[in-house]
Amino acid sequence: MKALLKLIQLEMRKNKTKLLRGALIADLILLAFMVLVVFTEEGEFSTYADVFDGLYVFTKAIFIIFASVLLSKLVIDEYKNNTITVLFMYPVSRKKLMAAKLLIVFGFTFISIFLSDIILSLLLGGIDYYFSDVIQGELSVRMMLDELPGVAADAVYSAGIALIPLFFGMRKKSVPATLVSAVLLVSVLSSGVGQFRLGNQFGVAISLSLIGVFIAYLGIKDIEVKDVA
């Protein structure tokens, strides 16, 4: 366990600045987009329930795609450029190396979605309170506390789903395949009619999340004997 945590720390040390900068840029874009649609499109987001629903969908979409970029950088690119062979020469098991990379993707996706949902909800509530008063009702501490369990669960499911593009990327060591599969996945999850969203259905979310975790498990399980070429 200590070796695995050390590997995660080393990977994070190499990529921490880029990850934080990328997450910040994604959140700023998402905030600007939500401000545009909430405060200029009358009737589309009239209640906090509507705002939360829309925000959670967009946050999930943007960070699942972000996770595919991270998968491409940490895993697919290293296989494609054959730099993974250098890592596999270190006196550390391949399984731990790959597990560290995939845990970073999972953990980053979970934390990014969870914090973004909470922080952006508060910012949108503050903007409405001080500048526009477009959203019906009042954003309260009780309301945010009631949202936390659902936000946390959604972040966990999304982090698992974000691992699914690994399957498509590893088939031919293709970065475009990884990114395109993430975009298609997000399109399917965001599809729906009215308030119905496929990705919001518990059965769909948990099933896809478990598939993502299983794909990650398969990526780790046979790596000691798998050809890296």
Side-chain angles (χ1 to χ4, degrees):
M1 180 60 72
K2 287 184 179 180
L4 181 60
L5 292 175
K6 185 65 175 179
L7 289 170
I8 292 174
Q9 289 176 352
L10 290 173
E11 286 285 357
M12 286 299 298
R13 194 175 300 165
K14 290 190 297 182
N15 298 284
K16 181 172 67 175
T17 302
K18 291 180 180 179
L19 289 177
L20 293 177
R21 183 169 63 238
L24 179 59
I25 292 172
D27 278 339
L28 290 174
I29 293 172
L30 189 53
L31 178 61
F33 175 76
M34 288 301 297
V35 168
L36 184 65
V37 297
V38 171
F39 302 114
T40 62
E41 296 289 335
E42 294 185 6
E44 290 293 324
F45 296 91
S46 58
T47 67
Y48 276 104
D50 295 332
V51 172
F52 291 156
D53 181 63
L55 175 62
Y56 299 164
V57 169
F58 294 129
T59 304
K60 185 188 310 182
I62 199 167
F63 281 106
I64 286 177
I65 294 173
F66 196 117
S68 72
V69 175
L70 190 54
L71 278 173
S72 298
K73 177 177 176 55
L74 294 180
V75 181
I76 309 301
D77 262 346
E78 297 224 7
Y79 272 91
K80 183 179 178 181
N81 300 327
N82 214 31
T83 53
I84 195 75
T85 55
V86 177
L87 289 178
F88 286 165
M89 292 173 66
Y90 293 166
V92 180
S93 76
R94 293 183 178 187
K95 288 184 179 180
K96 288 182 179 178
L97 284 168
M98 184 61 72
K101 292 175 180 291
L102 297 182
L103 283 172
I104 287 172
V105 176
F106 183 94
F108 174 79
T109 306
F110 167 76
I111 292 171
S112 297
I113 291 176
F114 181 77
L115 292 181
S116 296
D117 281 343
I118 299 301
I119 293 171
L120 294 181
S121 294
L122 292 172
L123 288 175
L124 290 170
I127 292 171
D128 181 68
Y129 181 80
Y130 288 106
F131 300 106
S132 68
D133 197 26
V134 168
I135 308 172
Q136 297 174 14
E138 183 178 342
L139 184 62
S140 63
V141 174
R142 180 74 262 171
M143 186 185 297
M144 290 305 302
L145 290 176
D146 288 342
E147 288 292 314
L148 283 179
V151 170
D154 194 49
V156 172
Y157 302 150
S158 300
I161 293 169
L163 297 173
I164 292 177
L166 177 69
F167 171 78
F168 300 96
M170 285 296 288
R171 292 190 69 181
K172 292 189 177 181
K173 312 300 187 291
S174 170
V175 170
T178 309
L179 302 180
V180 169
S181 63
V183 172
L184 292 176
L185 186 59
V186 162
S187 299
V188 171
L189 291 172
S190 303
S191 63
V193 178
Q195 295 296 318
F196 175 84
R197 291 287 181 275
L198 188 62
N200 291 342
Q201 305 308 301
F202 175 77
V204 174
I206 190 66
S207 297
L208 289 176
S209 181
L210 290 174
I211 289 173
V213 172
F214 183 66
I215 287 171
Y217 167 74
L218 291 179
I220 296 170
K221 182 173 74 75
D222 298 325
I223 199 169
E224 297 286 359
V225 295
K226 189 178 294 183
D227 186 7
V228 300

